Amino acid sequence: MVKPEQILKDFQIAVKHWSPLHKCVEKDVEFALGKQWEDEDVETLRKAGVKALTINKIKPIIKLLTGIERQSKSDYVAFPEGEEDGIKADITTRLLKNVVKNSDAESKTSLAFKRGVMGGLDFLEPYMDYTYDLLNGCMKFRNVSCMQVFPDPDAEEYDFSDGKFLIKFSPNLSKDQLIELYPNQESKIDKLDSGKINVAELDVLIKHVQGVDYPSLSKATLGSDDLSEYGFDLIEYQYKSYVNKFYVVDKVAGVVQEVEDKNAGNAYIASNPQAVLITKKVPEIRIASYVGGEVIIDEISWTYPKWKKYSLIPYVAEWLDLKNIDVELAYQGVVRGLVDLQEEFNKRRTQELRHLNSSVNSGMMYPRGSLTEQEKRKIKKYGSSPGIDIEYDSSVGKPERLFPAPLSQAHAQLAEENAQDLKESSGVNPDLLANSDNDQSGRAILLKQKQGLVMVQEMLDNYAMTKKTLGKFMLSQLGEIYTVETAVKVLGESFLMKHQEFQKPKADEMGMPIMNPMTRQIETEVDQEMANEIINAVLNDPNIGNYDVTIGEGAYSETVRLSNYMTLVDMASKGIPIPPDVLVGESMLPQGTKQKIVASIEQAQMMAQQANAVQPQGEKKDVGRQGNS
């Protein structure tokens, strides 16, 4: 059990370490969304009669990167480690696709990519929703701002898995929200009086992360504008607790098996004398929730032991782990290097507009005594209006308009250089937009786009790493999401019929195989017992991701799938033997149409096999008759 003092100590250390990054992320996101001026500067310009222009050059870059991510989406695919693992890989792939569909994981990962590209870091939090299914819940995902997450500052891995702890901070919760999170701790929560955590570096976070509701006015000072101080700050503290685990090692049988205790290990050794019992300290992932000055729960994480890492999965756009480097430099998005250039661009355009406005109403110069007071007021009020009539004393002198110095060529050149700097610093060039004026073939444009992607490849590779981690996590929790029966429903009867591993010969009442009179082949049916055994291994084998399948990605977007289909058609036209059902499966036709075509192909193949099975007998008869004659 972790002590409250340890949680607060680690929290304070982590807040001090990560708060500089949080401040940068706040500014990055505001810049990306269009808040690019300080309030004081806007007010100063307003008093001078000048509008502070915001010409957001960053937003199109973010839209381009998110567009690339959305167009290059991919399905989760389980690849077999060995030839015998093909059926497990097919089952895993279908179940993962069902999890993604039901959890809306695609939109959550896309949002994490967008927020990570802006600020440099974002998190996904998986959880099980038992609202409508008390036995097997539905896996869901939520996006968690990096300003709510405080990993161990000493962690060096991309996913912070080597850190001693990882903290999620949720400020300004009400008692009702706490009870909803921890229904079994309602009595403890009701006794809480106040639960605010006073850490100076949390100002940025608390400003952006507010609770849904607040306590009643009876606990607040009437007339107070800020009721959030009467809420409760929740610290969810995930940490590693090292415990003794017992393993039986049998080198002869090639077995390394975890046992509950020494007695279970000795019982195994009694029947297998060649085995030995090993005791080893291993990290156990636990989670403690601190609120109101006390720890209300401290238990093993719901993801452990199938998932031996923290349950918050990060996406980092650009990451460089070097000691003695400021954290705001180590974690960056695309916006961080564009802030100064964007500020310069806005100020330059605002100055240009101010200069142009001053040239329209630049003022008048006239000799003393040439105008009456009424004419002076008319010039002051309507001096920049067209068609103004001015009466003056010609004997004294004629009024003349003042003209400011025109914009210099240096200003125009600086503006052009600034626009080019924005493109180069972001890594986004015209090739990615495919808007070249030159007449080029589609293939040439595609090659240029691929070259342009080199500058943003790191962000895309890190995103692929995050999605792969997410896929491994879902694989580890399949047993929590499905039973064998629900998994069979997801797979479908046609899937079981298609795989030979699930087939057994049909037998009559005497137990003899049934022969099909047309094909002269033994008829088969689904071996439900074998199917249940294989599916259960996929759901509950903790080592399936280590030895049986590897989680990867397959083509998802229409653009990628169409490209793959055209490649297959080109290969087939050159004589490469690609099965027709594969071509149909990779086409862009509706799923129902694909199934009809594949069924028609299978029927035609079956009829051809039947004809081949009958034809050789007729040929033999003909040969026999020729011999007799």
Side-chain angles (χ1 to χ4, degrees), residues 38 103 140 155 179 276 296 302 347 355 358 417 456 470 511-512 520 531 536 567 588:
E38 297 291 341
S103 64
K140 298 290 184 68
I179 293 172
V276 295
I296 59 174
W302 66 275
K347 289 179 179 180
H355 188 90
S358 66
E417 290 177 355
V456 295
L470 194 64
M512 300 299 294
R520 297 188 178 184
N536 184 65
T567 301
M588 304 296 292

Side-chain angles (χ1 to χ4, degrees), residues 172-189:
N172 301 328
L173 299 180
S174 67
K175 281 190 176 181
D176 290 340
Q177 289 174 303
L178 290 174
I179 293 172
E180 185 178 352
L181 290 172
Y182 310 104
N184 296 330
Q185 307 299 325
E186 183 173 358
S187 59
K188 287 185 179 180
I189 295 171

Side-chain angles (χ1 to χ4, degrees), residues 513-531:
I514 299 176
M515 184 77 70
N516 189 315
M518 296 295 295
T519 61
R520 297 188 178 184
Q521 295 179 352
I522 297 176
E523 295 185 359
T524 61
E525 62 182 353
V526 175
D527 186 345
Q528 199 62 52
E529 184 176 347
M530 176 61 71

Side-chain angles (χ1 to χ4, degrees), residues 13-76:
I13 292 172
V15 167
K16 186 175 182 180
H17 176 80
W18 291 101
S19 59
L21 174 63
H22 293 169
K23 293 177 182 178
C24 290
V25 171
E26 177 192 20
K27 187 173 183 179
D28 292 345
V29 173
E30 288 180 347
F31 256 72
L33 297 178
K35 188 179 184 302
Q36 301 176 351
W37 288 86
E38 297 291 341
D39 294 337
E40 296 80 5
D41 295 337
V42 173
E43 182 62 19
T44 300
L45 290 172
R46 188 193 67 78
K47 290 180 179 179
V50 180
K51 178 177 176 57
L53 294 180
T54 299
I55 303 173
N56 196 341
K57 290 285 189 177
I58 296 177
K59 192 171 184 178
I61 296 173
I62 301 297
K63 283 185 171 291
L64 176 61
L65 293 174
T66 55
I68 292 172
E69 181 270 328
R70 290 173 183 269
Q71 285 193 344
S72 59
K73 282 183 179 179
S74 56
D75 277 335
Y76 285 105

Side-chain angles (χ1 to χ4, degrees), residues 5-206:
E5 297 80 11
Q6 185 64 43
I7 294 178
L8 288 176
K9 179 182 177 182
D10 289 341
F11 182 55
Q12 190 163 8
I13 292 172
V15 167
K16 186 175 182 180
H17 176 80
W18 291 101
S19 59
L21 174 63
H22 293 169
K23 293 177 182 178
C24 290
V25 171
E26 177 192 20
K27 187 173 183 179
D28 292 345
V29 173
E30 288 180 347
F31 256 72
L33 297 178
K35 188 179 184 302
Q36 301 176 351
W37 288 86
E38 297 291 341
D39 294 337
E40 296 80 5
D41 295 337
V42 173
E43 182 62 19
T44 300
L45 290 172
R46 188 193 67 78
K47 290 180 179 179
V50 180
K51 178 177 176 57
L53 294 180
T54 299
I55 303 173
N56 196 341
K57 290 285 189 177
I58 296 177
K59 192 171 184 178
I61 296 173
I62 301 297
K63 283 185 171 291
L64 176 61
L65 293 174
T66 55
I68 292 172
E69 181 270 328
R70 290 173 183 269
Q71 285 193 344
S72 59
K73 282 183 179 179
S74 56
D75 277 335
Y76 285 105
V77 179
F79 299 101
E81 291 284 355
E83 294 182 3
E84 72 282 358
D85 298 322
I87 183 62
K88 291 184 179 179
D90 289 346
I91 294 172
T92 302
T93 298
R94 290 210 171 206
L95 294 180
L96 287 178
K97 288 183 178 181
N98 186 256
V99 174
V100 171
K101 179 188 71 174
N102 293 335
S103 64
D104 196 25
E106 293 170 4
S107 62
K108 300 297 183 181
T109 52
S110 292
L111 180 58
F113 177 81
K114 182 176 183 178
R115 292 172 17 164
V117 166
M118 287 183 183
L121 180 63
D122 199 64
F123 287 85
L124 283 164
E125 182 181 24
Y127 66 97
M128 295 297 296
D129 184 4
Y130 293 96
T131 304
Y132 302 107
D133 189 345
L134 298 178
L135 182 61
N136 289 94
C138 178
M139 178 165 285
K140 298 290 184 68
F141 299 91
R142 64 168 64 94
N143 294 95
V144 180
S145 168
C146 70
M147 291 189 286
Q148 282 185 264
V149 182
F150 299 86
D152 182 356
D154 293 328
E156 297 180 355
E157 295 294 330
Y158 176 87
D159 57 359
F160 306 107
S161 59
D162 58 330
K164 295 180 180 179
F165 63 87
L166 186 143
I167 295 172
K168 177 188 172 187
F169 178 67
S170 302
N172 301 328
L173 299 180
S174 67
K175 281 190 176 181
D176 290 340
Q177 289 174 303
L178 290 174
I179 293 172
E180 185 178 352
L181 290 172
Y182 310 104
N184 296 330
Q185 307 299 325
E186 183 173 358
S187 59
K188 287 185 179 180
I189 295 171
D190 282 336
K191 295 178 182 178
L192 297 177
D193 184 25
S194 178
K196 299 301 295 180
I197 298 175
N198 185 18
V199 179
E201 290 84 355
L202 290 177
D203 291 343
V204 173
L205 169 62
I206 294 177

Side-chain angles (χ1 to χ4, degrees), residues 369-441:
S370 62
L371 298 177
T372 64
E373 292 298 325
Q374 180 180 358
E375 296 301 320
K376 290 179 182 179
R377 289 192 296 270
K378 187 189 295 185
I379 287 179
K380 186 175 182 179
K381 188 172 183 180
Y382 305 108
S384 60
S385 303
I388 183 175
D389 296 324
I390 302 297
E391 182 179 346
Y392 63 95
D393 187 347
S394 58
S395 62
V396 179
K398 178 181 178 181
E400 296 180 358
R401 182 177 294 278
L402 295 175
F403 293 97
L407 290 174
S408 65
Q409 290 297 321
H411 281 85
Q413 183 178 352
L414 286 173
E416 183 177 350
E417 290 177 355
N418 182 258
Q420 184 64 27
D421 289 340
L422 279 167
K423 292 180 182 179
E424 293 178 355
S425 297
S426 66
V428 176
N429 54 56
D431 293 332
L432 286 177
L433 299 173
N435 58 0
S436 175
D437 295 333
N438 300 328
D439 293 332
Q440 295 179 331
S441 66

Side-chain angles (χ1 to χ4, degrees), residues 267-286:
Y268 183 94
I269 294 174
S271 58
N272 300 272
Q274 71 278 7
V276 295
L277 182 65
I278 296 178
T279 303
K280 183 180 179 182
K281 281 191 175 293
V282 297
E284 182 181 74
I285 305 298
R286 299 182 64 88

